[in-house]
Amino acid sequence: MDPLDGRHFEAVIIGAGMSGLAAGIRLAHFGKSVLILERHNICGGLNSYYSFDARKFDVGLHAVTNYVEPGVKGTPLGKLCRQLRITREELGLAPQKYGSRVVFPGTELRFSNDFELFRAEVRDRFPSQIDGFDRLTRFVREFDPFADDTMVGNARLELERFLSEPLLREMILCPLMFYGCAREDDMDLYQFVIMFRAVLLEGFGRPFEGVRRVIRLLQKKFKSLGGERRMKCGVKRIQVAGNQAKALVLDDGQTVSAEKVLSTIGSVETQRLCEGQPPSAARERIGPITFVEVIAVLDREPEEFGWKDTIVFFSNQEKFFYGRPEDRVDTRGGILCFPNNYDYPEEQKLDEGIFRITALADYSGWADLEESKYLGQKAVWSERLLEGALKILPATNRVDLERSTLATDMFTPRTVKKYTGHLAGAIYGSHQKVRNGQTHLENLFLCGTDQGFLGITGAMLSGITIANLHLLKD
């Protein structure tokens, strides 16, 4: 492969996650010379995969949100396909099969890709709240979260305008915060609107092959357009001249330059690369939200245990906890995911059953553990999370489940930091988003997690949006 040292590009993108690949495709469509740099050997960033016990495990992707049936216009998924010039068929999305649930003590709300199911559930379980819920739905449909003059507000306060029942407010916030909130205990109003639409109004889909299909599609598209990508090639430092990013110094000492640089690695992480910025700068912007996830492989479909849900969001207390727990893992709530329970074409069936348990975690509790203790703590918390999950799901014989379990693994905040570079393993990045993508340097921009669009669809739209706004506007 030709050396990079001294080469100049119209755009250099730091990070080959969903937003970086989407931005690269968008720029290459317009003939820009584009280089994507990725420190690791696999693309995808927060939504990627890894190999363990001779199997491929998805990380990040539970579902592609914003799923709509083919032909529905005016949706984020449609915009995504148009801007990247890909088809729905290429994404290969299958809708959730039976639907999902939000489970709280004594109450649950089912939802699917048909919003009327969720509305009916609210009407039946909280009859006094249905008028307010309908007003809330109209508010969400009419609110433009992408407008420059969008009002800044807190979701909890806004919900109180429509719903007087605290439990219903918590049950609505639970899946939205778990799937896209970088703040503790509340959401920015515009992100609440984005996630309400993505999860409840539109819904979930998944490619049969999981995240690998999306990654391969984006890589192939970028390469076909003449884009250049270098793996195991991270950025060590951004050289600064005046108010411009002058050049990028790579891990191996090579230097490249660009007219414009687009970083997907996070606002604080990007700032720390820039010359003249102290390592402690913006420490208060490091995100507090991180997770652990247990992945179990079964010798049968989850449905054979009576587990028909696609995704379950749960809390064992009426005001659900969302923040940095005092212990290494928070067992009071979480997410249960069953990738088998999508409506794949008849000829497609996953070879094995998959069961994923995700819960909030404290980075500091995992960061400095000695290796043997680290492995021991993974085993301890895996067992605790499984015990909690089995209390939420339809009853099953524990001995039978253990006999059916072929393999298990767990990733932690330490894993997240290692493979994404996100400080403190912050899954959703900083709680202070940079919606316009601008930084302190005129030719350095942000997209991805810290720009503010979250999830698979949101990440790709973030890359597209910032590329359009700052790198293609001329």
Side-chain angles (χ1 to χ4, degrees):
M1 186 177 291
D2 294 337
L4 289 172
D5 201 32
R7 292 180 60 187
H8 181 79
F9 297 84
E10 290 177 276
V12 170
I13 299 171
I14 306 174
M18 296 294 175
S19 60
L21 289 169
I25 291 169
R26 187 66 180 160
L27 295 170
H29 271 311
F30 288 87
K32 301 288 185 182
S33 60
V34 186
L35 171 67
I36 298 179
L37 300 169
E38 171 56 54
R39 176 164 280 143
H40 301 287
N41 62 353
I42 297 176
C43 294
L46 287 168
N47 295 285
S48 190
Y49 62 94
Y50 67 98
S51 298
F52 175 76
D53 198 23
R55 294 176 173 86
K56 296 282 195 303
F57 290 85
D58 279 0
V59 291
L61 184 144
H62 286 175
V64 175
T65 59
N66 301 98
Y67 179 89
V68 292
E69 292 295 331
V72 179
K73 298 181 178 180
T75 66
L77 189 59
K79 177 181 179 182
L80 175 67
C81 290
R82 288 194 309 275
Q83 294 278 303
L84 296 183
R85 301 178 194 175
I86 60 178
T87 66
R88 286 285 300 261
E89 290 71 27
E90 289 177 295
L91 286 170
L93 296 179
Q96 53 182 325
K97 193 172 185 179
Y98 302 110
S100 299
R101 289 185 296 153
V102 183
V103 180
F104 273 57
T107 307
E108 68 175 55
L109 294 171
R110 295 178 302 139
F111 68 95
S112 67
N113 293 357
D114 181 358
F115 180 68
E116 288 307 309
L117 172 61
F118 188 67
R119 183 186 181 279
E121 291 277 294
V122 172
R123 181 196 63 212
D124 293 346
R125 286 164 175 74
F126 299 94
S128 68
Q129 302 295 299
I130 189 60
D131 290 342
F133 180 76
D134 286 341
R135 291 196 303 274
L136 171 65
T137 303
R138 286 195 296 273
F139 170 81
V140 168
R141 291 184 186 278
E142 294 169 1
F143 187 91
D144 183 359
F146 309 113
D148 291 338
D149 59 351
T150 291
M151 61 179 175
V152 176
N154 296 327
R156 287 192 180 278
L157 283 175
E158 197 66 24
L159 277 173
E160 290 178 8
R161 290 181 49 218
F162 299 99
L163 304 171
S164 61
E165 173 53 62
L167 179 57
L168 178 56
R169 296 199 298 264
E170 295 297 306
M171 295 184 78
I172 290 173
L173 283 169
C174 177
L176 311 189
M177 293 179 75
F178 270 132
Y179 263 12
C181 181
R183 291 175 55 184
E184 293 186 285
D185 198 43
D186 204 348
M187 296 186 79
D188 293 322
L189 180 58
Y190 80 94
Q191 288 202 318
F192 169 82
V193 170
I194 290 172
M195 296 309 298
F196 190 103
R197 292 177 181 176
V199 173
L200 299 175
L201 284 177
E202 293 170 351
F204 300 146
R206 182 185 187 273
F208 175 69
E209 298 169 270
V211 73
R212 283 164 287 162
R213 176 157 182 157
V214 181
I215 292 172
R216 284 201 305 268
L217 172 62
L218 297 180
Q219 289 179 150
K220 181 180 178 181
K221 189 75 173 179
F222 180 64
K223 183 178 180 180
S224 72
L225 294 166
E228 190 168 341
R229 174 172 53 90
R230 294 293 178 93
M231 307 301 291
K232 296 184 179 181
C233 189
V235 175
K236 182 178 181 179
R237 186 172 72 257
I238 298 176
Q239 294 180 342
V240 176
N243 59 1
Q244 296 275 321
K246 180 181 178 183
L248 307 181
V249 181
L250 309 184
D251 289 340
D252 62 2
Q254 295 186 84
T255 301
V256 298
S257 60
E259 294 175 18
K260 295 183 179 180
V261 178
L262 188 55
S263 175
T264 73
I265 65 174
S267 59
V268 180
E269 293 82 354
T270 300
Q271 187 174 351
R272 287 188 170 197
L273 291 179
C274 297
E275 291 178 340
Q277 297 294 309
S280 60
R283 186 183 299 276
E284 72 281 357
R285 299 209 316 268
I286 297 174
I289 302 300
T290 190
F291 295 93
V292 296
E293 181 167 286
V294 178
I295 307 173
V297 182
L298 310 174
D299 66 3
R300 66 190 70 177
E301 294 270 331
E303 192 173 339
E304 294 183 38
F305 289 104
W307 302 341
K308 294 186 176 183
D309 300 294
T310 301
I311 300 172
V312 179
F313 303 89
F314 72 94
S315 170
N316 63 16
Q317 53 190 29
E318 289 194 354
K319 187 180 189 306
F320 91 101
F321 174 81
Y322 190 80
R324 186 167 22 204
E326 294 181 1
D327 215 331
R328 289 191 174 94
V329 178
D330 179 61
T331 58
R332 291 167 289 183
I335 311 165
L336 312 178
C337 174
F338 301 95
N340 300 76
N341 295 340
Y342 285 86
D343 196 12
Y344 303 117
E346 288 186 10
E347 68 277 9
Q348 293 182 331
K349 184 177 181 180
L350 297 181
D351 294 334
E352 298 169 319
I354 306 293
F355 176 25
R356 300 170 65 177
I357 310 170
T358 311
L360 290 157
D362 173 39
Y363 173 77
S364 62
W366 294 95
D368 300 319
L369 287 176
E370 185 269 331
E371 188 64 18
S372 62
K373 189 171 183 180
Y374 176 68
L375 295 175
Q377 285 296 298
K378 285 174 67 172
V380 167
W381 287 103
S382 292
E383 177 61 24
R384 291 183 186 178
L385 289 172
L386 178 59
E387 288 178 359
L390 293 179
K391 294 176 183 177
I392 300 298
L393 296 170
T396 189
N397 184 297
R398 180 66 187 271
V399 174
D400 189 28
L401 176 61
E402 290 177 356
R403 289 173 178 166
S404 299
T405 301
L406 302 174
T408 60
D409 193 33
M410 180 185 198
F411 68 79
T412 73
R414 190 156 119 178
T415 320
V416 175
K417 183 178 185 297
K418 179 179 179 180
Y419 289 104
T420 70
H422 279 203
L423 298 172
I427 292 287
Y428 299 131
S430 173
H431 52 287
Q432 298 179 31
K433 302 303 181 186
V434 185
R435 296 183 62 197
N436 63 11
Q438 295 177 321
T439 70
H440 66 293
L441 300 178
E442 288 184 352
N443 65 335
L444 173 63
F445 305 96
L446 300 174
C447 68
T449 301
D450 278 356
Q451 185 270 328
F453 298 172
L454 299 169
I456 296 278
T457 303
M460 289 189 277
L461 285 174
S462 173
I464 292 166
T465 299
I466 299 303
N468 288 343
L469 182 63
H470 296 298
L471 286 80
L472 292 175
K473 65 179 182 180
D474 295 335

